[in-house]
Amino acid sequence: MKCREIKYFLLGSESPDQPPAGVQAHLAVCKDCQEWQSRLVQIEMNLPFLPVPQTAARSTLLKRIAALPPVAGIAEREPKSAGARVEMTSSVLTKSTRVADKSSAAEELPATIPMAAAPRSPSRVRAVLATLRSVEPGLRRFAGGSVAAAILLAVLGWLVLRGPHQPTQMQTRARPDPDPLLASILQRDLRLAEAENAKERVLALADLAEDLSGEVQGLAQKAEAKALLPALVDNYRDVVAKCLVEVAKDLPEQGRNDILNSIGERLQIAGRLAGELAQTNRIPESSKKPLEELRKIAWHADDQLRALRIEALGNVPPTPLVVREERP
Amino acid sequence: MIANGAVKESNRNSSRFRFSSSCQRVWTHLASFENKPLMVEERELVSRAQQGDRRAFAALVEQYWDGLYRWLYHVTRHRESAEDLAQEAFLKALAGLGTFRAGSNFRAWLYRIAYNSFLNQRRGESRSRPFFAEELPALDEGPAEQVMSRENLLLLQRAVSKLPADFRAAFLLRVEEGLSFREIGDILATTEETARWRVFKARQKLMEVLAPQLDREKL
């Protein structure tokens, strides 16, 4: 059961090769899951080796673009030039032998997409910088920014207390950025600021909670983190109990149960991993209480989300997507 | 520590001010760790291309052609279609540069244009294209311990080609382009959670097909 959840987590994670500390803790002791993860990573690492036939189309395209007459000041005379641009492109398209759908070249363009990450080899720091630069107007627009602001301030305060980030023994992979947690939290926070509805907010909060629980589980293995863990668990409580559960109440009916179930599942896994870590002898005695506390917070929040689902279904107990073990 | 939703307006303003200044400090701090700012370079190119600079647009073509063509080839499983769609995407992007908002994600916008064209093309096709396996690359193109055997690469190729196009598109954007689920959702005109779900299912399917073979090979 536990292994199945770990595998599900990895299948749905953005980077199965860089799982959070909690999952790494399980992988370190479960050979089966470790093998399974390495297979998954191996498959993904080999995708770039799949062959793609060579093509001369790029050169052809570049030649055509170079042959186009220079267009001065497109941006300045945008309203009038829209038609001209379509005309210009149509002339380019006519020269192409296979390009289809000539007439609608400029009409089907999608809306521009907000910047979210750096292209290729995404450095988390670079992604945060890009995000910060691009969403400043969004931040100003966000009227209810107090929640996001408070979370960021709380976490920044904790980061100041915590000092420089030191990788734990369980984090076997090199972390290239100066503080991935900070980068990650900033991203979550900016997502919160950008969120336009309860669903986006609740998903951003769930991600933030996951980051925090992973960090707690990573730091729990270090004796020197004794003073920091309670503060971090407090932050986790704030995010989960005061924000996530509250915002979840505002979720629209459509898709509500799926979202609640998915988040509940993540909370339960976080709680279980924290609880299991607390039972091992690999961590200092001082880390056990904060881990137990985190488990209780996560499971309590899961219960609250389940209650919301039951409420939404008219007091008929829902069938969970994931069969959950009985909890003490 | 966390303010609830019913914070007074004055508190909101105060928090917002502190939030912005905090962000600014963090930004300044992080900037010292930044490598060559690729994003700034892209913005510069887009800006110049918007002014009519063809060389700047050509540089954008150089920058994104390989990734886009490769993705389209895997999605369409057809060289000529991939070439056409890639060309069409760039030309539409060139035509629509005036509507592109500065600071937006050019790559995601470009991929979205290409995907829309792919969907249009697929709607117009009455039959699916056959998949022809291409010649596999030499095995010494990567670290030896990470590269699969020729046989397994062929298996991977077939397994990827059998994935539903939507799953394949999302999976390749995640793995080969390194895009976040949110960006994938933007490109495929769906939600972040759906993008995650498609990647999840693609991985699950590939593991079903390939993991036993990889295990056997290990033994």
Side-chain angles (χ1 to χ4, degrees):
Chain A
M1 183 61 190
K2 181 173 62 185
C3 293
R4 191 181 132 197
E5 286 169 358
I6 292 291
K7 287 171 183 171
Y8 269 53
F9 177 87
L10 291 171
L11 286 171
S13 81
E14 288 202 338
S15 305
D17 59 330
Q18 292 179 320
V23 175
Q24 282 193 32
H26 174 86
L27 293 174
V29 295
C30 179
K31 195 164 183 295
D32 181 50
C33 286
Q34 208 177 63
E35 290 276 325
W36 190 91
Q37 184 216 18
S38 76
R39 293 280 165 265
L40 182 60
V41 172
Q42 191 184 9
I43 287 171
E44 298 203 350
M45 287 181 76
N46 276 274
L47 274 181
F49 295 103
L50 292 185
V52 169
Q54 291 196 338
T55 172
R58 170 171 51 184
S59 310
T60 313
L61 176 65
L62 287 170
K63 280 178 194 163
R64 283 179 187 145
I65 290 170
L68 287 172
V71 181
I74 282 184
E76 286 84 355
R77 53 187 176 83
E78 185 181 335
K80 288 184 181 175
S81 67
R85 283 198 305 278
V86 175
E87 194 179 319
M88 173 196 75
T89 307
S90 296
S91 71
V92 174
L93 291 171
T94 333
K95 293 178 187 173
S96 172
T97 50
R98 292 193 305 266
V99 173
D101 199 14
K102 302 177 175 64
S103 60
S104 58
E107 291 153 17
E108 298 173 356
L109 295 184
T112 50
I113 296 168
M115 193 73 76
R120 285 205 180 275
S121 307
S123 147
R124 294 174 82 179
V125 171
R126 208 189 290 157
V128 170
L129 288 170
T131 313
L132 282 170
R133 286 170 185 145
S134 61
V135 301
E136 272 299 321
L139 295 179
R140 288 193 289 273
R141 201 175 57 236
F142 180 54
S146 55
V147 173
I151 291 170
L152 181 64
L153 285 172
V155 176
L156 283 175
W158 166 75
L159 284 168
V160 169
L161 284 174
R162 188 187 67 157
H165 181 75
Q166 297 293 326
T168 63
Q169 285 184 336
M170 294 306 299
Q171 293 164 327
T172 51
R173 283 169 176 50
R175 303 177 82 172
D177 298 328
D179 200 317
L181 176 67
L182 175 58
S184 160
I185 287 171
L186 272 169
Q187 278 187 320
R188 310 293 188 212
D189 193 77
L190 289 166
R191 265 183 65 199
L192 264 179
E194 278 188 307
E196 290 177 351
N197 53 47
K199 184 187 167 187
E200 288 179 7
R201 251 173 243 135
V202 87
L203 289 173
L205 286 164
D207 287 345
L208 181 56
E210 205 160 70
D211 287 347
L212 288 170
S213 72
E215 194 68 13
V216 167
Q217 289 166 50
L219 285 173
Q221 296 163 55
K222 297 171 68 182
E224 60 268 33
K226 180 182 174 182
L228 299 174
L229 283 178
L232 200 49
V233 172
D234 280 346
N235 281 329
Y236 183 78
R237 180 187 293 106
D238 288 340
V239 170
V240 170
K242 292 186 185 172
C243 291
L244 197 154
V245 173
E246 289 304 311
V247 177
K249 291 174 185 169
D250 297 332
L251 282 170
E253 277 187 27
Q254 191 180 6
R256 176 188 174 118
N257 287 341
D258 287 345
I259 297 168
L260 292 177
N261 207 15
S262 145
I263 294 172
E265 187 185 339
R266 290 162 71 180
L267 287 168
Q268 200 194 50
I269 291 173
R272 181 169 300 154
L273 290 172
E276 284 172 1
L277 192 57
Q279 302 298 319
T280 64
N281 296 324
R282 292 183 288 108
I283 58 167
E285 198 62 32
S286 58
S287 297
K288 294 190 173 176
K289 193 177 169 190
L291 283 171
E292 274 299 324
E293 187 63 23
L294 189 144
R295 179 188 62 77
K296 284 180 194 166
I297 295 165
W299 282 3
H300 181 61
D302 178 30
D303 288 340
Q304 286 179 298
L305 295 187
R306 287 166 67 89
L308 286 178
R309 288 181 57 214
I310 292 169
E311 190 181 300
L313 291 170
N315 295 325
V316 179
T319 308
L321 289 176
V322 176
V323 180
R324 296 174 182 179
E325 287 175 5
E326 287 302 316
R327 297 192 307 237
Chain B
M1 198 176 293
I2 302 290
N4 57 32
V7 181
K8 290 181 181 176
E9 191 59 35
S10 59
N11 288 345
R12 279 184 186 165
N13 292 337
S14 166
S15 294
R16 223 162 6 134
F17 171 72
R18 289 165 65 197
F19 179 53
S20 297
S21 61
S22 302
C23 271
Q24 190 62 45
R25 278 203 307 277
V26 173
W27 184 351
T28 309
H29 170 68
L30 289 174
S32 62
F33 296 99
E34 192 182 17
N35 301 324
K36 182 70 181 168
L38 191 57
M39 203 63 74
V40 173
E41 192 181 318
E42 178 193 295
R43 287 185 184 199
E44 174 75 25
L45 289 174
V46 171
S47 171
R48 279 168 43 203
Q50 284 181 317
Q51 301 296 320
D53 185 341
R54 295 277 173 267
R55 282 178 304 177
F57 190 79
L60 289 168
V61 174
E62 292 281 6
Q63 190 168 327
Y64 292 119
W65 174 275
D66 283 343
L68 181 65
Y69 168 69
R70 186 177 172 81
W71 178 62
L72 287 169
Y73 174 74
H74 285 310
V75 171
T76 60
R77 296 174 290 167
H78 194 265
R79 182 174 64 87
E80 289 189 351
S81 292
E83 288 173 347
D84 287 352
L85 289 170
Q87 286 195 33
E88 189 177 337
F90 278 110
L91 291 171
K92 283 184 175 177
L94 178 61
L97 270 178
T99 65
F100 180 77
R101 193 157 39 87
S104 301
N105 189 335
F106 180 79
R107 180 170 58 151
W109 184 62
L110 178 69
Y111 276 61
R112 173 99 178 249
I113 293 170
Y115 192 70
N116 285 349
S117 299
F118 163 69
L119 293 178
N120 287 338
Q121 185 197 63
R122 194 169 63 171
R123 279 187 211 109
E125 280 182 354
S126 56
R127 60 188 173 84
S128 62
R129 296 179 187 277
F131 176 68
F132 300 104
E134 305 287 341
E135 189 178 336
L136 289 170
L139 295 180
D140 58 355
E141 290 184 8
E145 69 275 13
Q146 291 165 356
V147 179
M148 292 174 172
S149 67
R150 181 175 290 267
E151 184 190 356
N152 284 341
L153 271 178
L154 190 58
L155 204 61
L156 174 61
Q157 188 181 36
R158 284 181 182 148
V160 169
S161 75
K162 282 179 183 170
L163 292 171
D166 293 345
F167 292 1
R168 197 163 60 234
F171 178 63
L172 290 163
L173 285 174
R174 174 63 216 138
V175 178
E176 290 216 332
E177 295 296 312
L179 296 177
S180 67
F181 290 135
R182 189 178 193 194
E183 286 176 299
I184 296 169
D186 285 338
I187 290 170
L188 305 183
T190 185
T191 64
E192 181 179 352
E193 283 306 300
T194 303
R196 184 192 294 272
W197 170 249
R198 287 178 185 177
V199 173
F200 178 104
K201 294 303 288 181
R203 282 176 176 152
Q204 195 177 41
K205 190 70 189 167
L206 292 178
M207 283 295 281
E208 279 172 20
V209 175
L210 292 163
Q213 176 69 19
L214 293 173
D215 286 339
R216 270 199 299 278
E217 197 169 79
K218 194 189 172 198
L219 292 173

PDB file of all heavy atoms in Angstrom, chain A residues 275-287:
ATOM      1  N   GLY A 275       4.787  10.288  10.028  1.00  0.00           N
ATOM      2  CA  GLY A 275       4.565   9.360  11.141  1.00  0.00           C
ATOM      3  C   GLY A 275       5.568   8.219  11.127  1.00  0.00           C
ATOM      4  O   GLY A 275       6.110   7.825  12.167  1.00  0.00           O
ATOM      5  N   GLU A 276       5.814   7.704   9.929  1.00  0.00           N
ATOM      6  CA  GLU A 276       6.753   6.581   9.825  1.00  0.00           C
ATOM      7  C   GLU A 276       8.177   7.013  10.177  1.00  0.00           C
ATOM      8  O   GLU A 276       8.907   6.281  10.839  1.00  0.00           O
ATOM      9  CB  GLU A 276       6.719   6.017   8.409  1.00  0.00           C
ATOM     10  CG  GLU A 276       5.491   5.168   8.157  1.00  0.00           C
ATOM     11  CD  GLU A 276       5.361   4.774   6.702  1.00  0.00           C
ATOM     12  OE1 GLU A 276       6.234   5.144   5.903  1.00  0.00           O
ATOM     13  OE2 GLU A 276       4.368   4.123   6.382  1.00  0.00           O
ATOM     14  N   LEU A 277       8.510   8.213   9.720  1.00  0.00           N
ATOM     15  CA  LEU A 277       9.852   8.708  10.027  1.00  0.00           C
ATOM     16  C   LEU A 277      10.017   8.893  11.539  1.00  0.00           C
ATOM     17  O   LEU A 277      11.085   8.631  12.095  1.00  0.00           O
ATOM     18  CB  LEU A 277      10.082  10.033   9.284  1.00  0.00           C
ATOM     19  CG  LEU A 277      11.509  10.568   9.232  1.00  0.00           C
ATOM     20  CD1 LEU A 277      12.454   9.552   8.608  1.00  0.00           C
ATOM     21  CD2 LEU A 277      11.566  11.863   8.432  1.00  0.00           C
ATOM     22  N   ALA A 278       8.929   9.324  12.168  1.00  0.00           N
ATOM     23  CA  ALA A 278       8.984   9.538  13.617  1.00  0.00           C
ATOM     24  C   ALA A 278       9.207   8.226  14.373  1.00  0.00           C
ATOM     25  O   ALA A 278       9.707   8.227  15.498  1.00  0.00           O
ATOM     26  CB  ALA A 278       7.700  10.208  14.089  1.00  0.00           C
ATOM     27  N   GLN A 279       8.825   7.127  13.743  1.00  0.00           N
ATOM     28  CA  GLN A 279       8.955   5.826  14.420  1.00  0.00           C
ATOM     29  C   GLN A 279      10.342   5.208  14.252  1.00  0.00           C
ATOM     30  O   GLN A 279      10.665   4.226  14.904  1.00  0.00           O
ATOM     31  CB  GLN A 279       7.923   4.835  13.847  1.00  0.00           C
ATOM     32  CG  GLN A 279       6.474   5.282  13.965  1.00  0.00           C
ATOM     33  CD  GLN A 279       6.047   5.457  15.409  1.00  0.00           C
ATOM     34  OE1 GLN A 279       6.395   4.647  16.263  1.00  0.00           O
ATOM     35  NE2 GLN A 279       5.321   6.539  15.693  1.00  0.00           N
ATOM     36  N   THR A 280      11.127   5.761  13.355  1.00  0.00           N
ATOM     37  CA  THR A 280      12.426   5.131  13.098  1.00  0.00           C
ATOM     38  C   THR A 280      13.478   5.601  14.106  1.00  0.00           C
ATOM     39  O   THR A 280      13.276   6.574  14.834  1.00  0.00           O
ATOM     40  CB  THR A 280      12.948   5.480  11.689  1.00  0.00           C
ATOM     41  OG1 THR A 280      13.165   6.885  11.636  1.00  0.00           O
ATOM     42  CG2 THR A 280      11.954   5.085  10.617  1.00  0.00           C
ATOM     43  N   ASN A 281      14.587   4.904  14.105  1.00  0.00           N
ATOM     44  CA  ASN A 281      15.692   5.291  14.984  1.00  0.00           C
ATOM     45  C   ASN A 281      16.715   6.155  14.266  1.00  0.00           C
ATOM     46  O   ASN A 281      17.752   6.492  14.825  1.00  0.00           O
ATOM     47  CB  ASN A 281      16.401   4.024  15.497  1.00  0.00           C
ATOM     48  CG  ASN A 281      15.469   3.211  16.358  1.00  0.00           C
ATOM     49  OD1 ASN A 281      14.652   3.764  17.101  1.00  0.00           O
ATOM     50  ND2 ASN A 281      15.550   1.889  16.236  1.00  0.00           N
ATOM     51  N   ARG A 282      16.403   6.516  13.014  1.00  0.00           N
ATOM     52  CA  ARG A 282      17.383   7.262  12.229  1.00  0.00           C
ATOM     53  C   ARG A 282      17.355   8.757  12.528  1.00  0.00           C
ATOM     54  O   ARG A 282      18.155   9.502  12.005  1.00  0.00           O
ATOM     55  CB  ARG A 282      17.127   7.041  10.732  1.00  0.00           C
ATOM     56  CG  ARG A 282      17.408   5.641  10.262  1.00  0.00           C
ATOM     57  CD  ARG A 282      17.204   5.495   8.775  1.00  0.00           C
ATOM     58  NE  ARG A 282      15.786   5.539   8.389  1.00  0.00           N
ATOM     59  CZ  ARG A 282      15.206   6.542   7.770  1.00  0.00           C
ATOM     60  NH1 ARG A 282      15.898   7.602   7.452  1.00  0.00           N
ATOM     61  NH2 ARG A 282      13.933   6.479   7.448  1.00  0.00           N
ATOM     62  N   ILE A 283      16.393   9.168  13.324  1.00  0.00           N
ATOM     63  CA  ILE A 283      16.287  10.619  13.572  1.00  0.00           C
ATOM     64  C   ILE A 283      16.519  10.919  15.049  1.00  0.00           C
ATOM     65  O   ILE A 283      16.313  10.051  15.915  1.00  0.00           O
ATOM     66  CB  ILE A 283      14.897  11.139  13.150  1.00  0.00           C
ATOM     67  CG1 ILE A 283      13.791  10.406  13.912  1.00  0.00           C
ATOM     68  CG2 ILE A 283      14.688  11.000  11.657  1.00  0.00           C
ATOM     69  CD1 ILE A 283      12.450  11.065  13.793  1.00  0.00           C
ATOM     70  N   PRO A 284      16.955  12.116  15.336  1.00  0.00           N
ATOM     71  CA  PRO A 284      17.148  12.481  16.745  1.00  0.00           C
ATOM     72  C   PRO A 284      15.813  12.460  17.496  1.00  0.00           C
ATOM     73  O   PRO A 284      14.754  12.685  16.897  1.00  0.00           O
ATOM     74  CB  PRO A 284      17.692  13.906  16.680  1.00  0.00           C
ATOM     75  CG  PRO A 284      18.044  14.157  15.267  1.00  0.00           C
ATOM     76  CD  PRO A 284      17.300  13.188  14.421  1.00  0.00           C
ATOM     77  N   GLU A 285      15.900  12.227  18.773  1.00  0.00           N
ATOM     78  CA  GLU A 285      14.694  12.155  19.608  1.00  0.00           C
ATOM     79  C   GLU A 285      13.890  13.457  19.515  1.00  0.00           C
ATOM     80  O   GLU A 285      12.666  13.448  19.500  1.00  0.00           O
ATOM     81  CB  GLU A 285      15.117  11.894  21.055  1.00  0.00           C
ATOM     82  CG  GLU A 285      14.022  11.371  21.963  1.00  0.00           C
ATOM     83  CD  GLU A 285      13.477  10.016  21.527  1.00  0.00           C
ATOM     84  OE1 GLU A 285      14.250   9.203  20.954  1.00  0.00           O
ATOM     85  OE2 GLU A 285      12.278   9.786  21.735  1.00  0.00           O
ATOM     86  N   SER A 286      14.611  14.568  19.403  1.00  0.00           N
ATOM     87  CA  SER A 286      13.944  15.875  19.407  1.00  0.00           C
ATOM     88  C   SER A 286      13.084  16.096  18.159  1.00  0.00           C
ATOM     89  O   SER A 286      12.222  16.965  18.147  1.00  0.00           O
ATOM     90  CB  SER A 286      14.990  16.986  19.481  1.00  0.00           C
ATOM     91  OG  SER A 286      15.881  16.864  18.383  1.00  0.00           O
ATOM     92  N   SER A 287      13.313  15.308  17.112  1.00  0.00           N
ATOM     93  CA  SER A 287      12.551  15.506  15.871  1.00  0.00           C
ATOM     94  C   SER A 287      11.224  14.745  15.885  1.00  0.00           C
ATOM     95  O   SER A 287      10.364  14.988  15.034  1.00  0.00           O
ATOM     96  CB  SER A 287      13.370  15.030  14.671  1.00  0.00           C
ATOM     97  OG  SER A 287      14.530  15.789  14.541  1.00  0.00           O
TER      98      SER A 287
END
